[in-house]
Amino acid sequence: MRKAAFHNLGCKVNAYETESMQQLLEQRGYEIVPFEEAADVYVINTCSVTNIAERKSRQMLHRAKRRNPHSVVVAVGCYVQTSKEQVLQEAAVDILIGNNKKHELPEMLERFFAQRENVACPEDFSSVADVDGNLSYETLSVNRTAERTRVFIKVQDGCNQFCSYCIIPYARGRVRSREITDVLKEVGSLAANGYREVVLTGIHLSSYGVDLGTDLLHLIEEVHKAPGIARIRLGSLEPKIITEEFVRRLSGLPKICPHFHLSLQSGCDATLQRMNRKYTCEEYEQGCNIIRKYFSHPAITTDVIVGFPGETEEEFEATRKFLKKIGFFEIHIFKYSRRKGTRADRMEQQVPEEIKHARSETLFEDLAPMNEEFLRWHIGKQAEVLVEEKVSFGGVEYFLGHTKEYVKIAVPAAGQKNGNMENELVRGTVISRLKEHVLCMENLLEEKS
């Protein structure tokens, strides 16, 4: 039996695809081992979102070959797609697989073992287009993941936005969507395997359905009908999708988690324009107001890039002011990283690294009171928690999980009737802060199957 090891870099979509490829090899009789162990095959699902991500991808490819010089090293994904010639020159790589071809991994390995010749398949997206010139959606699926309660489901690929800092449209191609019937089939399989929460994700989730004559809202409403699934969480959304109609209909779906990740990137209109983002700060704020109109104390999270080319001190201060005005639960803060092949890489007025670092630290300081205020609101209120694991804090055992808003809650294990509440939905009253970013819930009201 051959052994295979996987390493994933990058986004949640990459992670989903890595799990799917792993299960494809398991079906062919491979034994999956940790990446740190000796294996016959190493599969690295690469990332190209930044130059740093590409460097990490190269490092992992070489690390795999050093671990076992006789192994087959497979480079998969975005770095392969955007830097084909460079990857072809990597002595550590035996097989190259571009995006939209990951499902061919087992066959490519069989071909390699039969011929002992390097295999390359980073085909241009035009070569995998259908007769109408549109890309086909690569159907991959999973029936389990490393997590036991929550599972990500990829429903969309590609992006048509062409933000000036982003290479992804070139790495992933144009928007294509997964058929609803196929999504529902996977949801049903996962529910049968005990998963209670699904997270719908994609490269540009808000574009779901534009190629199928449908939309994301219709998909969500269909998934909501699936028995066995208790929660539906959404991946990153674009502000433009947040309309009165969209949020009103979402609010009528009890399984929807009021946890919205709305990509912002900058709180300054001039910077947003240079980024080629398709909204203004005013439109973003209107979207947040609509969400808060239909959901009580929803969690709104976002991404922000500091030090984008041309960002002045005044523009940065405008972003700070806007972030405080909105009041986020969490902000993912990134220092702008140049990416060859993007328009932003060619822009003048690149911001020095020391200024990026200082601005990043400032935003982290600004975030702390926002996060504190959001968490403090929950104390004294009832909450529903999906229990994920049993942990120990200070020698005391707790059941740990998340609310629909993705607030981390711990329930004391002592005195509970059920000694194993993993994957159970429980309700109780939040009484205190247990530790940083973790609240404590007691007075268990009920236990849901």
Side-chain angles (χ1 to χ4, degrees):
M1 179 185 293
R2 290 193 174 105
K3 296 181 178 181
F6 286 79
H7 184 80
N8 182 72
L9 296 109
C11 63
K12 295 295 185 182
V13 170
N14 259 22
Y16 174 92
E17 293 169 344
T18 298
E19 296 266 11
S20 180
M21 288 187 288
Q22 176 178 315
Q23 290 173 33
L24 286 174
L25 290 193
E26 286 178 326
Q27 293 166 11
R28 297 297 183 94
Y30 284 78
E31 178 188 352
I32 308 301
V33 299
F35 191 79
E36 295 73 23
E37 294 185 10
D40 302 296
V41 176
Y42 291 97
V43 182
I44 293 87
N45 198 2
T46 64
C47 179
S48 66
V49 69
T50 65
N51 291 333
I52 295 172
E54 287 199 347
R55 185 170 70 245
K56 290 181 178 179
S57 296
R58 290 192 297 270
Q59 289 172 347
M60 296 311 299
L61 292 168
H62 288 279
R63 185 176 300 175
K65 185 62 85 171
R66 286 196 303 270
R67 193 155 286 150
N68 180 5
H70 303 292
S71 65
V72 180
V73 175
V74 186
V76 183
C78 292
Y79 173 47
V80 177
Q81 195 70 50
T82 60
S83 307
K84 171 184 174 181
E85 298 305 322
Q86 185 173 349
V87 184
L88 282 170
Q89 296 173 12
E90 295 283 357
V93 179
D94 301 296
I95 298 176
L96 287 73
I97 304 178
N99 285 321
N100 243 43
K101 289 288 184 177
K102 295 182 174 79
H103 65 285
E104 295 185 10
L105 171 63
E107 288 73 23
M108 289 189 173
L109 284 170
E110 288 181 13
R111 187 170 140 203
F112 181 89
F113 285 121
Q115 302 175 2
R116 302 305 299 186
E117 293 180 359
N118 288 19
V119 180
C121 187
E123 300 185 30
D124 293 333
F125 281 110
S126 58
S127 67
V128 292
D130 62 25
V131 292
D132 297 321
N134 298 313
L135 285 175
S136 58
Y137 181 87
E138 181 184 24
T139 300
L140 295 167
S141 63
V142 299
N143 54 39
R144 69 185 188 284
T145 68
E147 292 195 54
R148 297 181 291 274
T149 57
R150 179 183 304 107
V151 60
F152 284 80
I153 299 179
K154 178 187 170 187
V155 301
Q156 181 275 335
D157 207 339
C159 183
N160 298 345
Q161 298 300 299
F162 290 92
C163 298
S164 62
Y165 53 81
C166 187
I167 198 69
I168 295 305
Y170 305 98
R172 287 278 180 173
R174 304 301 179 268
V175 166
R176 59 254 191 228
S177 308
R178 187 175 181 180
E179 294 285 351
I180 290 179
T181 53
D182 192 49
V183 175
L184 295 179
K185 181 180 178 181
E186 183 171 7
V187 170
S189 173
L190 291 164
N193 285 338
Y195 289 92
R196 310 297 302 277
E197 180 179 309
V198 295
V199 186
L200 304 181
T201 189
I203 295 299
H204 193 259
L205 184 62
S206 298
S207 294
Y208 176 85
V210 297
D211 53 329
L212 299 179
T214 184
D215 57 26
L216 179 61
L217 184 58
H218 180 57
L219 172 67
I220 295 168
E221 290 174 334
E222 290 302 305
V223 173
H224 193 272
K225 299 173 185 176
I229 296 299
R231 290 180 175 183
I232 301 171
R233 202 176 294 277
L234 304 178
S236 180
L237 299 173
E238 285 290 306
K240 283 284 192 179
I241 201 173
I242 304 299
T243 64
E244 191 92 17
E245 173 72 2
F246 181 83
V247 181
R248 182 186 63 78
R249 285 169 62 180
L250 280 187
S251 68
L253 304 175
K255 296 179 183 179
I256 285 292
C257 294
H259 172 206
F260 299 92
H261 187 86
L262 294 186
S263 182
L264 175 61
Q265 308 305 354
S266 175
C268 170
D269 284 339
T271 307
L272 288 174
Q273 189 172 18
R274 291 197 303 278
M275 290 178 168
N276 197 33
R277 301 293 287 175
K278 308 297 193 297
Y279 52 84
T280 64
C281 291
E282 181 180 1
E283 290 170 330
Y284 189 98
E285 183 179 0
Q286 288 172 353
C288 294
N289 291 339
I290 291 172
I291 291 172
R292 286 169 172 154
K293 173 181 175 181
Y294 286 96
F295 290 94
S296 175
H297 203 69
I300 301 178
T301 63
T302 197
D303 301 315
V304 173
I305 297 173
V306 297
F308 188 77
E311 184 184 64
T312 64
E313 195 63 35
E314 290 75 20
E315 289 178 343
F316 173 67
E317 288 301 322
T319 292
R320 288 186 68 192
K321 183 178 179 180
F322 185 75
L323 295 177
K324 292 176 182 178
K325 182 180 183 181
I326 298 298
F328 293 95
F329 170 36
E330 290 285 356
I331 303 173
H332 300 156
I333 302 164
F334 301 93
K335 292 178 286 187
Y336 169 71
S337 176
R338 297 180 73 164
R339 179 60 178 83
K340 291 181 181 179
T342 63
R343 188 147 45 94
D345 181 56
R346 301 188 297 272
M347 289 181 177
E348 298 180 354
Q349 297 180 304
Q350 296 287 332
V351 178
E353 287 299 320
E354 59 271 20
I355 294 180
K356 294 180 193 177
H357 178 75
R359 290 176 181 175
S360 175
E361 291 299 306
T362 297
L363 290 192
F364 277 115
E365 293 174 1
D366 289 347
L367 170 61
M370 289 188 242
N371 181 262
E372 172 68 24
E373 181 180 352
F374 187 86
L375 292 176
R376 193 188 315 119
W377 180 91
H378 291 82
I379 296 177
K381 297 180 175 62
Q382 291 184 15
E384 181 186 78
V385 177
L386 178 58
V387 177
E388 298 163 23
E389 59 182 335
K390 199 173 189 178
V391 298
S392 178
F393 295 134
V396 179
E397 288 191 329
Y398 294 87
F399 292 108
L400 188 66
H402 287 85
T403 68
K404 282 188 172 183
E405 296 82 8
Y406 213 65
V407 174
K408 192 173 290 188
I409 302 283
V411 182
Q416 303 298 341
K417 294 180 180 179
N418 188 348
N420 181 16
M421 294 199 299
E422 185 179 297
N423 214 26
E424 297 294 334
L425 284 166
V426 298
R427 287 181 59 84
T429 302
V430 179
I431 61 169
S432 65
R433 172 75 62 83
L434 181 62
K435 56 180 298 186
E436 188 178 16
H437 304 306
V438 181
L439 302 181
C440 184
M441 185 173 84
E442 288 187 347
N443 302 331
L444 202 59
L445 300 176
E446 63 178 297
E447 190 174 314
K448 297 185 178 181
S449 60

